[in-house]
Each structure stands twice: as C-alpha cells, then as structure tokens.
Amino acid sequence: MAASRRPLAPDEPNRRAEIVRAASRLFAEKGYSATTIRDIAKAVDMQSGSPFYHFKTKHDMLLAVVLEGMATITRATRAAAARGGTPREVFDAMLLAHLEQLLAEDGRHFAATLLHEGHHLEPAALKELIAHKDTYEAMWQKALRDLKRAGNIGDDSRVTRLFLMGALNWTVQWYRPNGGRTVKQIARQISDLLLRANA
Amino acid sequence: MAASRRPLAPDEPNRRAEIVRAASRLFAEKGYSATTIRDIAKAVDMQSGSPFYHFKTKHDMLLAVVLEGMATITRATRAAAARGGTPREVFDAMLLAHLEQLLAEDGRHFAATLLHEGHHLEPAALKELIAHKDTYEAMWQKALRDLKRAGNIGDDSRVTRLFLMGALNWTVQWYRPNGGRTVKQIARQISDLLLRANA
DNA sequence: CCTACCGATCGGTAGG
DNA sequence: CCTACCGATCGGTAGG
C-alpha cells in the first residue's frame, strides 16, 4: 500500500515529504478530485510528470497524506492520555491534543484531507484507514468510560462518543486562527459543556 | 443565479427535478468534481449533452441541489419551532426536524451535498449559500438563548451552537438506516446530553 | 527528475 | 432533447 522510496541521504532535501505536504494543502482546499498532479508539481517546483518518480499514482499520494494525518493525531492524543491524572484531566488533555492537531497551522491540511477526502481512497486503502480510525476512537471510548466511572458524565455510550467526535471535528469548518479564540479556550468550552453537571 | 427553465405543463414529467435528484445522489456519493455530466445523464436516461438543456453549467446543478437542501431543512426546522411549547419542547422538535432531513432516505443526499460540496460553488453562489446558512443558524441561536433563560443550559454562546451543529451534522458520517437506532432516539440522546443537568 | 508525449475523458456547444 | 463534435485537460509513461 505504501509507495516505495529510495533511501534518503542525510542532508538531501526530502522532496517526497514536500510533495505530501503540498498535496495535503491542495487536497484540503480544492478536494482530491479537483486537484491535479500538475497543481501539486507546480507547488513544489517540479515538472508535471515528476511527482510520479516519488509516487506510483495519485491515490498513493492521498493515502500518504491521510495516513500521516491519522498517525499524527493518534500520537499526540495518546501522548496526552499517557501523562495521566484524573479522568477529567486526561480527557481535557486529549481534547486539547486532538484540537491542536486539527487546527494548528502545520497539521490542519492533513486533518482536513483525512476528514473530507478519505472516501476517495480505493477499497483496500480505505479499509486500512478505517482500522486506524477505530483504534483511535477506542481511546476516546475508554476516556468516556473512565469519566462515567468517576461520575463526570451520565452516558458513555457509542452515540455520545460520536456526538463528541462531531463537535470536535466540525471545528475544522469554522475555526479561524485569528478569530479571537484560542484552541485552548475551545477545548475548555467543550469540556465544560459535556461535564458541566459535575464541574 | 438560478438556472432558467420553461413553464411546466401540468402532467409533464419534471425532468429538471429528476436531474437535480440524481445529481444530489451522485454529488453526495462521489463528490462534485468526480461526478461527470455523463454520470448524471445516464442516471436519468438522457444523452450526455442533454442535461445542458435544463442547466447552463455543472455549477448551476450544484447550486440547485444545495439551495434545495438548505430550503428543505430550513422549512422543516422552522415549522417545528413554530409549533411552540416550552423552550425544551421547541428545541427537541427542532433537533428531530433537522436530523430527519439529514438522515431520511429522500433528503440525505441533498444534505450531504450541502455539507460537503458547497465549497465548490463559485464565489457569488457560495456567498448566497452562506447567507442562507446564517439565517438558519440564527434560529438555533435563538433556541439556545431561550433554553438558557429557562435555565436548561448554562452557556448559549456561539461556540455552543457550533458544537451542536457539529454533533448534529456529523451524524451524516456514521448514521446507517438499519443500524438499530431510530432518528428519534438519536435526537433524544443529544438533547439529554446537552440538557442533562436540568432534565 | 525532465522532456515529450499518449489515450482517455471532460464540460460544453451547434444544429437540428 | 439527441447527434456529433470540439478544445482543453487529465493521469500516467518511456526514455533519457
């Protein structure tokens, strides 16, 4: 599934990574289908056929973007959870980590592509992505279970998790970096909304 | 902005409406850019050039889908709110109306296109859509304000509304008609989640 | 990674 | 609404 690549010399500029980054931005802004290989090539100062030296197909580029986005969010949220604390402290740290990856300057195009363009993957790749997503969301289900045991929420069902994911992932649609609200404030606000009864 | 059309004879099959319906399904399933005029034509048993008898451009088809989706959801939610009752009764009726339009067999492709493909509109059309959306969401802001006055929620800010919209609109991503949960149950569950403290 | 290119497909149109 | 078509563009490739 992963595209092949040459071993990378120590100080060689990583053109492949540049392509992935440019692709993430273009896929996020214009959509996968409306983005052409020529768009991507131009964004990294290549000729139109050259990206195919790094990737076999356009679908492989999408897969690279989507898997990197998924891996980054998973890593950040898992690390936040691993720092420990009360269920609410863990939950708040996870909220912040998730939103930072979604909304930060350097990662938001990966996240947006992940959330909106994943369905353009071929069946086998889509299955792989969904497996990663299920693993990721299981972390959240566990966090909700711990919150319930601690009496912080009344319902830790699957639907509650899906509402939470919706509220979080929808921020991509409306958050603006200079909108006067920090990511930390947004994370705090959803925490208050869900846990208000026992704050 | 709206595409022109002939006056419609009483029992003449409305081919234009058939095109819009087929387009909504294809745009929702494959995305605007990946859907071809030939796909749409085939879905309504026309030749590839014939849809252009009804619409000047592919963008006009998208606009028709998106405006019809927006109008339908607005109409249903406004009617629900107009039935009156306590702030919570009004809110619950609005939740159900919104989710029914989003998830029901006959409207979900319009809603999905509205939520995911709107950004492919040209600037003027996009602006028109955003104006409709703002009007619609103002209804929800008012409902939240009434809930707060009645003591049902603690925070009726803009961000609360956006979290709510996210939780609701995200259902499109995971709801399956035969998933064992009815739309009514889902509406009830999000109402309980938000208003739990004062249930 | 560039040059030069190919076959396929696309949105859209003229004329009936 | 169909027939027949056009110019533009697309993903991808061979050869260097």
Side-chain angles (χ1 to χ4, degrees), chain B:
Chain B
M1 203 78 52
S4 60
R5 74 189 93 161
R6 295 173 303 141
L8 190 66
D11 58 349
E12 179 182 5
N14 191 342
R15 298 293 267 147
R16 186 182 188 276
E18 288 173 36
I19 291 172
V20 172
R21 172 167 305 252
S24 78
R25 183 175 56 78
L26 288 161
F27 290 161
E29 287 173 356
K30 312 177 40 161
Y32 172 75
S33 300
T35 298
T36 69
I37 298 292
R38 285 161 177 82
D39 291 333
I40 296 170
K42 190 156 76 171
V44 295
D45 278 310
M46 284 180 176
Q47 297 304 310
S48 69
S50 300
F52 292 107
Y53 173 74
H54 298 276
F55 293 90
K56 259 207 309 275
T57 66
K58 190 184 171 188
H59 272 115
D60 282 344
M61 294 184 202
L62 176 60
L63 182 59
V65 171
V66 145
L67 289 184
E68 179 169 336
M70 188 78 245
T72 303
I73 294 178
T74 299
R75 201 179 310 121
T77 305
R78 192 190 311 269
R83 285 196 292 272
T86 66
R88 170 149 199 179
E89 284 165 356
V90 169
F91 184 66
D92 286 352
M94 288 172 68
L95 286 175
L96 188 59
H98 181 95
L99 287 175
E100 271 171 351
Q101 295 309 315
L102 241 61
L103 305 178
E105 185 59 45
D106 46 326
R108 49 191 254 261
H109 298 314
F110 285 89
T113 301
L114 176 64
L115 293 176
H116 297 125
E117 306 302 319
H119 60 104
H120 288 291
L121 291 168
E122 296 141 30
L126 185 56
K127 208 177 144 188
E128 183 181 356
L129 174 63
I130 290 175
H132 282 285
K133 196 197 66 173
D134 289 346
T135 301
Y136 179 68
E137 296 206 2
M139 285 178 51
W140 284 96
Q141 199 73 63
K142 178 187 180 315
L144 289 175
R145 197 186 327 131
D146 293 342
L147 281 174
K148 180 167 183 191
R149 285 209 185 113
N152 284 303
I153 56 173
D155 175 10
D156 66 345
S157 66
R158 199 179 87 93
V159 175
T160 295
R161 186 196 84 225
L162 291 164
F163 285 148
L164 172 62
M165 291 296 121
L168 292 179
N169 292 340
W170 198 254
T171 57
V172 171
Q173 308 268 0
W174 56 265
Y175 175 78
R176 294 294 168 264
N178 298 321
R181 240 177 304 268
T182 66
V183 174
K184 195 176 282 193
Q185 286 170 329
I186 293 172
R188 180 55 194 259
Q189 213 157 340
I190 192 159
S191 179
D192 285 346
L193 184 67
L194 293 175
L195 311 183
R196 169 179 36 80
N198 308 281

Side-chain angles (χ1 to χ4, degrees), chain A residues 16-192:
Chain A
R16 186 181 188 276
E18 288 173 37
I19 291 172
V20 172
R21 171 168 306 251
S24 78
R25 182 176 55 79
L26 288 160
F27 290 161
E29 287 172 357
K30 311 175 42 160
Y32 172 75
S33 300
T35 298
T36 68
I37 297 292
R38 284 160 178 84
D39 291 333
I40 296 170
K42 190 156 77 172
V44 295
D45 278 310
M46 284 179 176
Q47 297 303 312
S48 69
S50 300
F52 291 107
Y53 172 74
H54 298 276
F55 293 89
K56 261 207 307 275
T57 68
K58 189 185 173 190
H59 272 114
D60 281 345
M61 295 184 202
L62 176 60
L63 182 60
V65 170
V66 145
L67 289 183
E68 179 168 336
M70 190 75 247
T72 303
I73 294 178
T74 300
R75 202 180 308 122
T77 305
R78 192 192 309 271
R83 286 198 291 275
T86 66
R88 172 150 198 179
E89 284 165 355
V90 168
F91 184 67
D92 286 352
M94 287 172 68
L95 287 175
L96 188 58
H98 182 95
L99 287 174
E100 272 172 350
Q101 295 309 314
L102 241 62
L103 306 177
E105 184 59 46
D106 47 326
R108 48 191 254 263
H109 298 314
F110 285 89
T113 301
L114 176 63
L115 293 175
H116 297 125
E117 306 300 321
H119 60 104
H120 287 292
L121 291 168
E122 298 141 28
L126 185 57
K127 208 177 145 190
E128 183 181 356
L129 174 63
I130 290 174
H132 281 285
K133 197 198 69 178
D134 288 346
T135 300
Y136 179 69
E137 296 206 3
M139 284 178 52
W140 285 96
Q141 199 72 64
K142 178 188 180 316
L144 289 174
R145 198 185 327 133
D146 293 342
L147 282 174
K148 179 163 184 196
R149 285 209 185 116
N152 285 301
I153 57 174
D155 177 8
D156 66 344
S157 66
R158 199 180 88 94
V159 174
T160 296
R161 187 196 83 225
L162 291 164
F163 286 148
L164 172 62
M165 292 295 120
L168 293 178
N169 293 340
W170 198 254
T171 58
V172 170
Q173 309 265 1
W174 56 265
Y175 174 79
R176 294 296 169 263
N178 299 321
R181 238 178 305 268
T182 66
V183 173
K184 196 176 284 194
Q185 286 170 330
I186 294 172
R188 180 55 194 257
Q189 214 158 337
I190 192 160
S191 180
D192 285 346

